[in-house]
């Protein structure tokens, strides 16, 4: 079979590979230029039937050809030439599909002007994106168009390494354009090794990170014009907000928490003792107001298991056998100073958000809670950095960093 004849059909498809026998037989024929089945079989360690099939396969692929004057002589063909002929139908098919794909995208792109015109005329300037795949596309597009600033709130303490790797690539591109990136994390992110490494690398590129004991929910805002919030139904969808007053309010809320948050500049060692004490004070305050374990875990971005271990250690330090006794000890010892003004309720009383609701923002104005003082508080804080590492066992991060986190 000649090369011209082979061009009529598909010889090679995606994923096709030459076998070891074909490579060995091709090399033998390239060196000896003749077909000697018994000799080939003996030298290559194959049986004659296998050699015959392999020779036929190489002829079919155009890698060898019989000599025009002597059928007993086989001529090896340049592999580059044979490959060009063998894959020509596949390449032609790919080109046709690329042309169809470009035409399809161009047709849809013609509709974008009408879509954006409709968005400008929408009274609420609000859009719902139901699927996670579409949310990621919208976030990537917004990040590419971002000119000046991207602010992000990322609750939770656990980050998947592969998610952070993708986020670093995206954020690096955004930072290279001179865009300012600021991100708020829960304090528990400081005890997550992948987050520590990610923050250290991104900070070196110019991004800014701070942590707080409580956050008001997941959020990403681009250029103070476009905000992404998670769908309250928990379906991995998002709500896109363009209304200027609402976006301005969200930015102001971010700025208030950012002002009170602690810098996360040195991801490996920065402020772990101070953060541990802040976690102690926050847990004490929430215990004193009768919050349930689930609510405290959600507010602090911890797993329920880690939160209950924190609470058990604090109660042991206070010498309390119940929530009521712990609350009484906090009040009588003045561990929170003026932070708690009202009577301390029992363990199951007091306000508690409905299941599934988003916890409100942490107080960001006025004097903060007084440091936990006294020997009991010191012993609790001293153990906190080691124990807080357990936060890495908590919930996975619902989303990713950078332009993936809404």
């Amino acid at each position: 079979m000649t090369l011209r004849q082979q061009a009529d059909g598909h010889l090679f498809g995606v994923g096709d590979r030459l076998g070891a026998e074909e490579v060995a037989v091709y090399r033998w024929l390239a060196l000896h230029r003749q077909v000697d089945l018994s000799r080939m079989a003996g030298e290559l360690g194959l049986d004659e039937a296998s050699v015959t099939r392999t020779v036929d396969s190489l002829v079919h692929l155009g890698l060898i050809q019989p000599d025009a004057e002597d059928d007993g002589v086989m001529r090896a063909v340049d592999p580059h030439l044979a490959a060009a002929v063998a894959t020509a139908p596949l390449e032609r098919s790919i080109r046709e599909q690329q042309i169809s794909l470009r035409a399809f995208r161009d047709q849809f792109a013609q509709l974008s002007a009408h879509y954006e015109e409709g968005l400008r005329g929408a009274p609420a300037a609000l859009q719902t994106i139901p699927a996670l795949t579409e949310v990621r596309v919208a976030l990537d597009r917004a990040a590419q168009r971002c000119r000046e600033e991207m602010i992000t709130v990322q609750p939770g303490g656990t980050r998947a390494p592969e998610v952070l790797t993708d986020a670093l690539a995206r954020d690096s591109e955004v930072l290279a354009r001179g865009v300012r990136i600021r991100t708020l994390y829960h304090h528990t992110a400081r005890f997550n090794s992948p987050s520590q490494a990610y923050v250290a690398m991104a900070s070196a590129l110019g991004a800014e990170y701070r942590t707080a004991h409580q956050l008001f929910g997941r959020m990403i805002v681009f250029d103070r014009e476009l905000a992404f919030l998670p769908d309250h139904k928990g379906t991995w969808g998002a709500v896109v907000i363009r209304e200027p007053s609402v976006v301005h309010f969200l930015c102001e809320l971010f700025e208030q928490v950012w002002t009170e948050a602690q810098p996360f500049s040195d991801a490996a060692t920065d402020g772990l003792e101070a953060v541990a004490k802040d976690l102690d004070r926050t847990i004490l305050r929430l215990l004193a107001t009768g919050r349930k374990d689930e609510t405290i875990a959600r507010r602090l971005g911890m797993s329920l298991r880690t939160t209950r271990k924190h609470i058990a250690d604090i109660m042991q330090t206070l010498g309390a056998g119940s929530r009521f006794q712990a609350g009484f000890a906090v009040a009588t010892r003045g561990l929170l100073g003026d932070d708690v003004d009202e009577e301390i309720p029992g363990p199951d009383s007091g306000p508690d958000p409905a299941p599934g609701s988003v916890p409100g923002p942490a107080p960001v104005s006025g004097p903060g809670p007084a440091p936990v003082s006294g020997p009991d508080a010191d012993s609790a804080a001293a153990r906190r950095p080691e124990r807080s590492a357990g936060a890495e066992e908590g919930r996975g991060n619902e989303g990713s960093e950078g332009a993936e986190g809404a």
Side-chain angles (χ1 to χ4, degrees):
M1 181 180 293
T2 65
L3 293 175
R4 185 181 305 276
Q5 291 172 322
Q6 294 172 47
D8 295 335
H10 290 264
L11 298 180
F12 250 46
V14 176
D16 286 347
R17 296 289 186 274
L18 290 175
E21 292 182 0
E22 292 170 315
V23 173
V25 170
Y26 176 85
R27 181 178 182 277
W28 197 96
L29 290 173
L31 294 175
H32 296 87
R33 297 176 55 85
Q34 63 179 349
V35 178
D36 186 336
L37 296 179
S38 59
R39 183 182 173 189
M40 292 171 66
E43 294 183 7
L44 297 177
L46 303 172
D47 57 72
E48 293 189 12
S50 297
V51 171
T52 301
R53 288 195 302 269
T54 304
V55 169
D56 291 341
S57 175
L58 292 174
V59 171
H60 180 66
L61 290 172
L63 285 167
I64 58 175
Q65 284 186 336
D67 188 84
E69 298 179 356
D70 186 353
D71 291 340
V73 176
M74 302 298 295
R75 180 174 60 86
V77 178
D78 181 354
H80 296 289
L81 176 61
V85 175
T87 60
L90 178 62
E91 291 182 348
R92 182 169 58 252
S93 175
I94 292 174
R95 285 195 298 271
E96 292 172 352
Q97 291 178 359
Q98 289 176 332
I99 293 172
S100 298
L101 179 61
R102 285 195 295 269
F104 186 81
R105 287 177 172 171
D106 289 343
Q107 290 177 351
F108 276 65
Q110 294 174 4
L111 304 176
S112 62
H114 305 302
Y115 174 75
E116 293 178 359
E117 182 181 2
L119 290 178
R120 289 192 294 270
L126 185 146
Q127 175 190 8
T128 300
I129 305 179
L132 177 60
T133 302
E134 296 172 354
V135 171
R136 287 175 172 168
V137 171
L139 285 168
D140 286 343
R141 185 181 182 191
Q144 292 169 2
R145 294 183 173 185
C146 189
R147 306 178 305 276
E148 299 178 359
E149 181 185 45
M150 183 172 75
I151 59 177
T152 306
V153 182
Q154 294 283 1
T158 304
R159 301 293 186 271
E162 60 274 12
V163 169
L164 294 174
T165 299
D166 293 341
L168 184 62
R170 282 190 306 273
D171 290 350
S172 299
E173 191 276 331
V174 174
L175 290 165
R177 300 201 311 267
V179 175
R180 184 185 185 189
I181 295 180
R182 290 185 292 163
T183 301
L184 281 169
Y185 289 137
H186 270 124
H187 281 333
T188 49
R190 293 174 181 262
F191 303 100
N192 179 251
S193 298
S195 295
Q196 293 172 358
Y198 167 79
V199 170
M201 290 184 288
S203 296
L205 298 176
E208 302 169 60
Y209 300 88
R210 294 186 181 183
T211 64
H213 53 77
Q214 295 187 76
L215 297 175
F216 51 86
R218 195 175 307 280
M219 178 185 79
I220 299 180
V221 182
F222 299 93
D223 289 331
R224 297 182 177 262
E225 296 175 352
L226 181 65
F228 287 77
L229 300 178
D231 187 338
H232 74 285
K233 298 178 181 178
T235 58
W236 298 96
V239 177
V240 184
I241 301 173
R242 294 177 175 83
E243 206 288 316
S245 296
V246 177
V247 176
H248 175 76
F249 171 80
L250 294 172
C251 292
E252 287 297 303
L253 189 59
F254 175 91
E255 294 296 348
Q256 290 181 14
V257 181
W258 180 263
T259 300
E260 298 295 327
Q262 298 185 24
F264 194 179
S265 56
D266 184 355
T269 61
D270 185 28
L272 293 185
E273 182 177 357
V275 166
K277 291 180 179 179
D278 199 6
L279 285 171
D280 279 337
R281 291 193 297 268
T282 304
I283 292 173
L284 284 173
R285 183 172 62 252
L286 294 173
L287 283 173
T289 56
R291 301 293 181 178
K292 297 179 180 179
D293 294 354
E294 291 80 1
T295 301
I296 296 175
R298 186 168 59 246
R299 290 287 186 91
L300 300 180
M302 292 183 182
S303 69
L304 183 58
R305 175 185 175 184
T306 302
T307 301
R308 285 174 172 164
K309 191 175 191 320
H310 276 264
I311 293 172
D313 286 349
I314 290 175
M315 291 179 64
Q316 181 180 4
T317 301
L318 294 174
S322 66
R323 294 294 188 89
F324 182 82
Q325 291 177 358
F328 182 78
V330 169
T332 55
R333 299 182 192 183
L335 296 181
L336 295 178
D338 298 331
D339 199 50
V340 179
D341 300 325
E342 55 189 345
E343 180 182 354
I344 300 174
D348 294 325
S349 60
D352 202 19
S357 63
V358 178
V364 293
S365 59
V372 180
S373 59
D376 293 338
D378 291 340
S379 62
R383 294 194 308 272
R384 194 70 67 235
E386 180 180 357
R387 190 175 68 249
S388 295
E392 295 187 20
E393 302 173 5
R395 301 166 299 176
N397 184 38
E398 293 86 352
S400 58
E401 310 297 332
E404 286 275 347

